[in-house]
Amino acid sequence: MQTQKVIDHIVSWLKDYATKAKVNGYVLGVSGGVDSGVVSTLAAMTGLKTLLIEMPIRQKADQVDRAREHMNDLKSRFPNVEVMSVDLTPAFEELYKTFDVKDDLYSNEKLAFANTRSRLRMLTLYYYGQLNGLLVCGTGNKVEDFGIGFYTKYGDGGVDVSPIADLYKTEVYTLAKGLNLIKSIQEAIPTDGLWDVDRTDEQQIGATYPELEKIQKEYGSKTAEDYEGRDKEVFLIFDRMHKAAKHKMDPIPICDIPEEWRS
């Protein structure tokens, strides 16, 4: 990959989009992971106002420390960067008390609460974005957004622009190195940070990002019968998750009303 050309292209794209939209810049959440680390740096490089918000919810200390270290590093290098921390744990705890149901009756409760965390963060970003005249900048990559749908609908998927959604996860790591991000971000193990226990992306998905990327690049031209061994296992994982997440990737379906019925 021609790393510097990709970096320059995304920075220019972000700057042009904000200028045409007549906004002041971008707001985004910083999680301590490589995706938000790369996107926040690219946004900062536009020279436009860039508001970085860390939004812990029952968060692990190492994730919080990485996020703050990265935000402070960017703030020290870019005068257009502003940082803030909004502790969403109290708000989430109130929602938890309000929404809590019997686990034995609703097996998806933990997943619903994980997605609630993501949607609470989305709400926060749009609130501060509107206050400051900023667009919400997404941090999803190509595997998550268009491969397995590994994101929360109207949570981290609720954004105004998505600058790295055409980049595979391994390419995002290449950009992180090219941007000289702090070491802890470059070496961060991917996790969505939405659970009370440590669960990496690989543990949740059952496959690594390089394995998934291999399948995604061939998906549609090959079937399960074209694979064997581990590749076949990953294909079946990818195929199942992709089909289950199509409702996230496709436009909202609209029930068309025949025109003759309007008269």
Side-chain angles (χ1 to χ4, degrees):
M1 184 172 70
Q2 299 180 57
T3 305
Q4 192 57 51
K5 283 189 176 181
V6 173
I7 290 171
D8 293 342
H9 177 71
I10 296 175
V11 171
S12 177
W13 183 86
L14 283 169
K15 188 171 183 178
D16 289 347
Y17 192 93
T19 301
K20 291 175 182 176
K22 295 181 170 51
V23 297
N24 298 322
Y26 295 99
V27 59
L28 62 150
V30 176
S31 64
V34 69
D35 292 328
S36 66
V38 165
V39 174
S40 57
T41 305
L42 295 171
M45 291 171 67
T46 64
L48 302 173
K49 181 172 181 175
T50 302
L51 177 59
L52 309 181
I53 307 181
E54 181 234 351
M55 299 171 285
I57 303 175
R58 297 180 177 178
Q59 222 65 34
K60 302 295 182 292
D62 62 330
Q63 296 173 16
V64 174
D65 291 343
R66 282 201 309 272
R68 291 178 179 173
E69 182 185 3
H70 171 69
M71 291 195 303
N72 289 333
D73 176 63
L74 284 188
K75 184 174 171 54
S76 70
R77 294 194 287 130
F78 296 95
N80 55 308
V81 168
E82 297 181 16
V83 304
M84 65 185 300
S85 179
V86 180
D87 185 2
L88 294 177
T89 300
F92 177 75
E93 297 298 355
E94 287 300 315
L95 285 173
Y96 188 89
K97 287 189 292 184
T98 302
F99 293 163
D100 192 24
V101 294
K102 293 181 179 179
D103 293 358
D104 56 341
L105 295 179
Y106 298 93
S107 59
N108 281 330
E109 185 189 26
K110 287 184 172 59
L111 176 59
F113 272 130
N115 286 326
T116 297
R117 294 191 193 197
S118 184
R119 291 176 178 127
L120 183 55
R121 290 178 176 135
M122 180 274 293
L123 180 153
T124 304
L125 290 174
Y126 272 97
Y127 173 78
Y128 285 103
Q130 191 157 29
L131 287 184
N132 293 277
L134 306 171
L135 294 177
V136 175
C137 193
T139 62
N141 59 67
K142 191 168 188 172
V143 180
E144 293 170 341
D145 284 9
F146 301 111
I148 58 174
F150 195 62
Y151 62 91
T152 299
K153 194 173 186 178
Y154 304 121
D156 51 329
V159 299
D160 293 315
V161 297
S162 197
I164 64 167
D166 195 34
L167 292 174
Y168 290 105
K169 188 81 168 187
T170 52
E171 294 175 323
V172 177
Y173 275 104
T174 300
L175 286 196
K177 184 177 181 180
L179 291 166
N180 196 29
L181 300 193
I182 59 174
K183 188 176 180 181
S184 62
I185 294 287
Q186 290 193 47
E187 297 178 350
I189 298 173
T191 178
D192 59 15
L194 298 178
W195 304 84
D196 289 336
V197 295
D198 280 322
R199 299 180 63 183
T200 66
D201 289 358
E202 182 177 345
Q203 288 171 331
Q204 291 191 65
I205 298 167
T208 66
Y209 279 103
E211 288 177 325
L212 293 165
E213 290 173 17
K214 178 181 185 298
I215 299 302
Q216 186 171 359
K217 291 173 183 178
E218 300 170 345
Y219 194 68
S221 62
K222 292 186 177 182
T223 66
E225 285 67 35
D226 296 311
Y227 297 98
E228 59 183 22
R230 179 57 179 167
D231 284 346
K232 186 167 187 175
E233 291 178 5
V234 177
F235 175 88
L236 293 174
I237 290 171
F238 185 96
D239 186 58
R240 171 179 54 80
M241 295 186 71
H242 180 79
K243 288 176 178 175
K246 283 291 287 179
H247 68 96
K248 300 181 185 181
M249 307 173 203
D250 293 341
I252 297 172
I254 297 173
C255 178
D256 290 326
I257 306 301
E259 196 60 39
E260 61 268 24
W261 292 0
R262 298 180 186 276
S263 57

